[in-house]
Amino acid sequence: MIVYLNGKFLPLEEAHISVLDRGFIFADGVYEVIPVYGRQLFRLTEHLQRLENSLNSIKLPNPLTQQQWIEILETVIAKNTGENQSIYLQITRGPAKRDHNFPEQSVPTVFVMSDELKPASPSTGVKAITCNDTRWQNCDIKSIALLANILLRRQAIEAGAVEAILIRDGYVMEGSASNVFVVIDGIAITPPKSQFILPGITRDLIIEAMQTAYLPCKEADISVEQLESATEIWVTSSTKEILPVIQLDEKTVGTGKPGVVWSQVWEIYQNYKQKLYS
Ligand code: PDD
């Protein structure tokens, strides 16, 4: 695998950073995961805009221009195999003497790698559990500090599930690494954007695609009771796409099979992807 690190394209084994990197010491950095279909970056403008927002939130100037980002990302794609790839990029505040206060001038570490993109087969659906949202109050920043998310995901895995749906004060926020949609009375609902959820690119695309297709979809708060009574639940992300949840905790969701609204939206999503590179 060829990766990008601080101006160079290198084999993964040759990419090294300082142990004093603030990403390593403090998780002081942000990231993006961008899907690539047919060797084309998917929703790139939106991902770069969210990256800009995350960098602004942590007071770290973007070290690269939009054009430089595009060149680096396209080179990483070209240097790796696979029609479909998952591009991971990370920017940290770089190496510095350990101090909670960050230096005014630091040289950020910029890292990009590619992984294979293989969304789980959605035809059978998956299990999810509900968990108390133990994360901080800046979940809209795509921060590399993910310990709470990791522990919540682990809780799901140990319960034989693939995702944890996070509840804060009786309301659904999102998954440990995904956004959540429910279907109630035929209407798809997802929580509104706030400091408590990551503004998912997949989420936004689903809303946009459903509106274009005149399928009912809205952004509204979802209580735990509504979650439990939903006929469909989906978790969405750049790597999962739109994954139907057919079991929530110990209860069957809807008919226990991926729902009819999900199958319509899934097809629209697949067609949208197809158009990108056909
Ligand atoms: N995570 N919410 C959280 C907490 C996430 O980590 C993610 C994605 C999403 C969905 O965002 P998007 O649709 O832009 O992928 C929502 C990525 C895939 C990850 O951490 O690997």
Side-chain angles (χ1 to χ4, degrees):
M1 186 207 297
I2 301 296
V3 303
Y4 171 89
L5 180 64
N6 297 334
K8 294 200 181 90
F9 295 93
L10 310 156
L12 178 64
E13 306 70 45
E14 290 171 26
H16 302 293
I17 58 158
S18 162
V19 291
L20 284 182
D21 195 284
R22 289 182 63 92
F24 181 57
I25 298 287
F26 287 117
D28 184 357
V30 295
Y31 77 108
E32 276 297 324
V33 177
I34 312 175
V36 167
Y37 296 109
R39 305 189 79 81
Q40 305 289 321
L41 288 152
F42 193 62
R43 303 288 271 191
L44 176 66
T45 312
E46 289 80 358
H47 281 280
L48 290 181
Q49 183 57 55
R50 185 172 65 186
L51 176 65
E52 195 70 41
N53 298 346
S54 294
L55 287 167
N56 285 338
S57 299
I58 71 161
K59 304 175 196 294
L60 180 58
N62 195 334
L64 300 169
T65 64
Q66 172 122 342
Q67 202 43 48
Q68 286 172 320
W69 274 116
I70 294 171
E71 272 171 41
I72 292 165
L73 299 174
E74 286 181 345
T75 307
V76 169
I77 295 167
K79 286 184 182 292
N80 286 283
T81 54
E83 283 300 295
N84 301 340
Q85 300 179 25
S86 167
I87 296 291
Y88 176 87
L89 70 88
Q90 170 171 322
I91 307 163
T92 75
R93 217 177 301 268
K97 183 176 179 310
R98 184 179 182 278
D99 182 351
H100 284 71
N101 183 27
F102 54 76
E104 294 305 324
Q105 300 293 329
S106 63
V107 180
T109 299
V110 180
F111 175 60
V112 183
M113 68 176 165
S114 166
D115 198 356
E116 67 176 336
L117 179 63
K118 251 201 190 160
S121 164
S123 52
T124 48
V126 298
K127 177 180 173 182
I129 60 166
T130 49
C131 288
N132 209 4
D133 194 344
T134 50
R135 301 173 305 158
W136 65 336
Q137 309 212 340
N138 297 102
C139 301
D140 52 330
I141 304 173
K142 204 159 171 59
S143 159
I144 60 169
L146 290 172
L147 195 48
N149 305 58
I150 288 167
L151 293 174
L152 289 159
R153 170 62 65 82
R154 188 69 197 171
Q155 216 174 308
I157 301 298
E158 286 172 1
V162 306
E163 185 56 307
I165 295 180
L166 310 180
I167 311 295
R168 201 186 278 258
D169 299 329
Y171 286 88
V172 175
M173 297 294 129
E174 59 178 339
S176 72
S178 58
N179 291 109
V180 174
F181 284 74
V182 299
V183 176
I184 297 172
D185 297 331
I187 305 170
I189 312 171
T190 194
K193 288 181 186 173
S194 74
Q195 73 198 88
F196 299 114
I197 72 165
L198 185 82
I201 307 297
T202 318
R203 169 199 181 279
D204 286 356
L205 177 55
I206 292 167
I207 296 172
E208 194 184 298
M210 288 189 78
Q211 282 168 349
T212 307
Y214 301 105
L215 293 171
C217 178
K218 66 176 184 185
E219 296 175 76
D221 292 332
I222 303 165
S223 67
V224 177
E225 294 73 29
Q226 285 175 303
L227 175 72
E228 285 167 355
S229 70
T231 50
E232 297 185 27
I233 301 173
W234 321 327
V235 289
T236 72
S237 79
S238 294
T239 47
K240 287 193 176 66
E241 299 189 341
I242 315 169
L243 199 53
V245 173
I246 53 160
Q247 192 185 335
L248 182 69
D249 297 319
E250 295 320 311
K251 259 190 69 201
T252 301
V253 178
T255 60
K257 294 204 179 83
V260 286
V261 184
W262 170 81
S263 75
Q264 286 173 305
V265 175
W266 190 78
E267 203 167 311
I268 294 171
Y269 195 85
Q270 301 308 316
N271 288 339
Y272 185 92
K273 269 167 45 181
Q274 208 75 45
K275 263 197 277 166
L276 191 76
Y277 54 88
S278 56

